[in-house]
């Protein structure tokens, strides 16, 4: 078992379908070979599997140098993107800011846009940015995603009024496909700094590419440390007997028509976006062919006062996976519960153990992932762990965990709707 992440499945064992367990266990080695030899379904998009070990020192240095230049240009960093082009970076940045920002006072403030179609939100953002010196990173593999495109075009017009053409070259960074799409064309035409999104890596598996590494570096994350953690996970998951596959096996041998939801429950607010990233990873990878656990997230202890009743006594359909942190940075040791004199961290841990005991007693299958600490090393390990688990879990359900044909359907109707407006208004 890894020192970075401990996986405890004892409380879920009574819910296992033993026949399914035997069948799936016997297939793991074959699925593992398919993933690694790139012979399985969706293998065109498995470039992330070997990625952490393949990123060289020069590439890391390039991200670091670029991030230093960008930080010197403006104390406000705006990241535009949606889904896999933003959730991974945001999740790591939120954790870093909450857990480690006290160590570094030179981190820019960050704003996110391009992940909705809300006019008031975009309006408010542009107002907030009015007096600030801005650096913008637009991230879109296709370069044509509507939400990101609209936010970018508005931001671009706004920046063109504020900065000269030569200044824009130092303030706009484009992360997109290496040769295709409108953002690549713009980068080439205007000479903007750009980074490629590898063709063989889909959005939700792209954290360890420029999609995640550049914004994380700008926001002060030690990307070397994070990649070291991911490399450790890559190494520890390189054969077919590993904790990521164990997690995939457990969730799949409990899953059936009744047990059809998985909640990822956390006890630190800053883990919220990590659970959002996890939701997208599993939701988009597995939700097809009328299969897949419905992934949801809960934020404890806050949600114990809203959803705790349901979790304890509502319909028994939910597999609950707890994600907790064994040890917070010592900076928070001074935060005390005045009545008991105990550290708040300790009180929170007792709340976690109590919740697990109560929900297990209430008849929920409970899985527990314990992060050793909140370091970027452990976090890097965790991201890779989930990606590997998700790929195996998809193969166990005999589906392609790397495509998202269902997302295209909504876009089809959206484009049709927009064409109608164009026709009416022209
Ligand atoms: O995981 C995925 O593939 C998606 O979530 C995409 O990242 C998302 O739709 C954004 O696409 P794009 O990067 O092309 O703007």
């Amino acid at each position: 078992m890894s020192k970075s992440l401990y996986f405890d499945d004892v409380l879920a064992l009574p819910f296992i379908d033993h026949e399914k367990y035997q069948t799936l266990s016997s297939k793991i080695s074959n699925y593992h070979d398919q993933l690694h030899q790139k012979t399985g379904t969706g293998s065109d998009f498995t470039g992330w599997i070997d990625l952490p070990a393949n990123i060289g020192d020069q590439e890391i240095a390039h991200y670091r140098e670029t991030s230093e230049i960008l930080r010197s240009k403006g104390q406000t960093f705006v990241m535009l993107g949606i889904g896999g082009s933003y959730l991974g970076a945001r999740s790591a940045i939120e954790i870093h800011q909450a857990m480690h920002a006290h160590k570094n006072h030179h981190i820019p403030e960050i704003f996110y846009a391009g992940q909705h179609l809300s006019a008031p939100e975009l309006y408010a953002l542009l107002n907030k940015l009015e007096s600030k010196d801005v650096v913008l990173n637009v991230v879109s593999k296709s370069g044509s995603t509507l939400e990101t495109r609209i936010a970018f075009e508005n931001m671009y017009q706004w920046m063109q009024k504020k900065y000269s053409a030569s200044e824009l070259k130092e303030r706009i960074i484009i992360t997109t496909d290496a040769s295709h799409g409108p953002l690549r064309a713009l980068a080439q035409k205007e000479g903007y700094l750009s980074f490629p999104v590898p063709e063989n890596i889909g959005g939700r598996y792209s954290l360890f590419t420029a999609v995640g590494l550049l914004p994380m570096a700008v926001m002060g994350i030690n990307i070397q440390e994070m990649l070291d953690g991911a490399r450790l996970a890559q190494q520890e998951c390189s054969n077919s007997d590993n904790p990521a596959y164990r997690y995939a096996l457990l969730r799949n041998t409990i899953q059936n028509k009744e047990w059809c939801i998985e909640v990822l429950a956390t006890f630190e607010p800053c883990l919220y976006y990590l659970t959002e990233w996890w939701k997208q990873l599993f939701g988009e990878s597995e939700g097809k062919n009328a299969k897949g656990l419905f992934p949801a997230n809960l934020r404890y202890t806050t949600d114990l006062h809203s959803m705790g009743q349901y979790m304890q006594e509502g319909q028994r359909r939910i597999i609950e996976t707890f994600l907790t942190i064994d040890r917070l940075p010592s900076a928070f040791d001074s935060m005390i519960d005045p009545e008991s004199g105990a550290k708040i961290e300790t009180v929170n841990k007792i709340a976690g153990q109590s919740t697990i005991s109560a929900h297990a007693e209430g008849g929920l299958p409970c899985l527990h992932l314990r992060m050793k600490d909140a370091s970027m090393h452990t976090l890097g390990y965790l991201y890779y762990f989930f990606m590997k688990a998700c790929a195996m879990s998809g193969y166990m359900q005999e589906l392609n965990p790397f495509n998202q044909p269902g997302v295209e359907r909504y876009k089809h109707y959206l484009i049709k709707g927009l064409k109608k407006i164009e026709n009416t208004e022209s």
Side-chain angles (χ1 to χ4, degrees):
M1 193 60 70
S2 171
K3 289 192 185 111
S4 296
L5 192 68
Y6 181 78
F7 178 48
D8 186 355
D9 55 24
V10 175
L11 293 172
L13 296 180
F15 297 87
I16 281 174
D17 173 335
H18 289 281
E19 208 180 304
K20 209 170 166 191
Y21 185 92
Q22 291 305 332
T23 312
L24 289 181
S25 303
S26 69
K27 291 181 175 175
I28 288 182
S29 162
N30 187 27
Y31 292 146
H32 175 77
D33 291 346
Q34 287 178 20
L35 274 173
H36 281 260
Q37 290 160 13
K38 307 195 185 306
T39 53
T41 169
S43 59
D44 288 354
F45 286 93
T46 49
W48 56 273
I49 291 183
D50 308 313
L51 186 64
N54 287 344
I55 299 174
D57 292 348
Q58 260 189 328
E59 195 178 336
I60 295 172
H62 182 44
Y63 288 123
R64 280 197 169 143
E65 281 154 22
T66 310
S67 68
E68 272 160 32
I69 296 169
L70 296 179
R71 275 202 296 266
S72 74
K73 287 285 151 209
Q75 271 307 300
T76 304
F77 182 63
V78 181
M79 186 185 175
L80 303 186
I82 192 167
S85 284
Y86 124 99
L87 282 169
R90 182 164 191 172
S91 62
I93 290 165
E94 300 261 333
I95 295 167
H96 181 255
Q97 286 183 321
M99 296 289 175
H100 308 290
H102 54 275
K103 289 186 209 152
N104 187 345
H105 302 291
H106 304 292
I107 297 174
E109 63 178 334
I110 185 163
F111 294 96
Y112 302 91
Q115 66 290 137
H116 52 69
L117 290 171
S118 165
E121 288 271 335
L122 190 57
Y123 182 88
L125 174 66
L126 291 175
N127 274 343
K128 266 188 220 150
L129 295 177
E130 201 52 58
S131 58
K132 300 182 191 282
D133 248 346
V134 171
V135 168
L136 173 82
N137 182 199
V138 54
V139 185
S140 173
K141 186 175 183 183
S142 63
S144 55
T145 301
L146 186 73
E147 291 86 343
T148 309
R149 177 180 70 68
I150 289 180
F152 177 65
E153 283 171 8
N154 276 276
M155 282 285 312
Y156 191 36
Q157 279 173 17
W158 178 84
M159 285 180 81
Q160 279 173 317
K161 282 185 205 139
K162 193 172 163 101
Y163 300 110
S164 68
S166 65
E167 264 186 301
L168 285 180
K169 285 200 174 91
E170 298 175 329
R171 293 181 180 278
I172 291 180
I173 309 99
I174 295 180
T175 307
T176 191
D177 185 90
S179 50
H180 299 106
L183 283 178
R184 176 55 56 196
L186 181 71
Q188 280 162 354
K189 180 168 165 258
E190 301 294 341
Y192 293 145
L193 185 59
S194 68
F195 287 84
V197 184
E199 209 176 336
N200 61 354
I201 300 179
R204 57 193 180 276
Y205 294 86
S206 69
L207 181 69
F208 300 124
T209 71
V211 170
L213 292 176
L214 182 68
M216 289 193 289
V218 171
M219 295 307 293
I221 289 179
N222 183 339
I223 55 171
Q224 175 74 65
E225 186 191 333
M226 178 172 277
L227 285 169
D228 285 345
R231 283 171 186 155
L232 180 63
Q234 181 183 336
Q235 192 191 319
E236 292 189 354
C237 298
S238 63
N239 62 45
S240 58
D241 181 14
N242 68 62
Y245 292 172
R246 175 88 189 150
Y247 169 56
L249 179 65
L250 265 284
R251 58 199 296 288
N252 276 292
T253 48
I254 298 169
Q255 178 185 176
N256 57 30
K257 281 207 167 66
E258 274 161 30
W259 297 107
C260 56
I261 299 165
E262 182 181 7
V263 158
L264 187 63
T266 52
F267 286 81
E268 284 294 337
C270 68
L271 296 184
Y272 172 68
Y273 274 94
L274 179 73
T275 66
E276 285 290 292
W277 172 84
W278 170 91
K279 236 167 72 177
Q280 188 212 350
L281 178 68
F282 281 90
E284 231 169 62
S285 298
E286 298 188 322
K288 50 198 73 154
N289 307 344
K291 294 179 181 174
L293 281 162
F294 179 81
N297 47 3
L298 286 175
R299 278 187 270 194
Y300 295 153
T301 59
T302 311
D303 287 338
L304 288 174
H305 300 264
S306 57
M307 295 302 289
Q309 172 60 38
Y310 193 101
M311 296 303 283
Q312 193 65 42
E313 296 180 350
Q315 287 196 55
R316 304 293 78 185
R317 288 174 175 274
I318 301 170
I319 300 170
E320 192 167 23
T321 299
F322 291 86
L323 177 65
T324 61
I325 304 170
D326 277 356
R327 185 70 182 101
L328 296 183
S330 56
F332 307 116
D333 286 355
S334 58
M335 298 286 101
I336 301 284
D337 163 25
E339 204 171 297
S340 66
K343 286 189 281 178
I344 294 180
E345 178 185 357
T346 308
V347 178
N348 199 19
K349 209 167 278 169
I350 295 170
Q353 284 152 2
S354 310
T355 310
I356 296 174
S357 302
H359 292 183
E361 189 184 281
L364 293 186
C366 294
L367 299 169
H368 191 181
L369 288 164
R370 279 171 39 209
M371 295 163 68
K372 180 182 78 170
D373 53 30
S375 68
M376 292 301 113
H377 190 281
T378 300
L379 198 56
Y381 188 103
L382 184 71
Y383 285 118
Y384 188 88
F385 169 93
F386 276 137
M387 289 183 208
K388 203 71 193 280
C390 187
M392 175 53 70
S393 190
Y395 275 16
M396 284 178 173
Q397 293 169 78
E398 297 185 343
L399 47 81
N400 180 352
F402 308 117
N403 67 359
Q404 53 283 329
V407 181
E408 302 310 315
R409 265 338 266 167
Y410 123 84
K411 288 185 189 164
H412 166 80
Y413 286 110
L414 182 62
I415 290 163
K416 241 172 129 174
L418 288 173
K419 281 216 170 96
K420 263 191 209 157
I421 304 178
E422 278 167 27
N423 293 340
T424 332
E425 294 190 349
S426 60

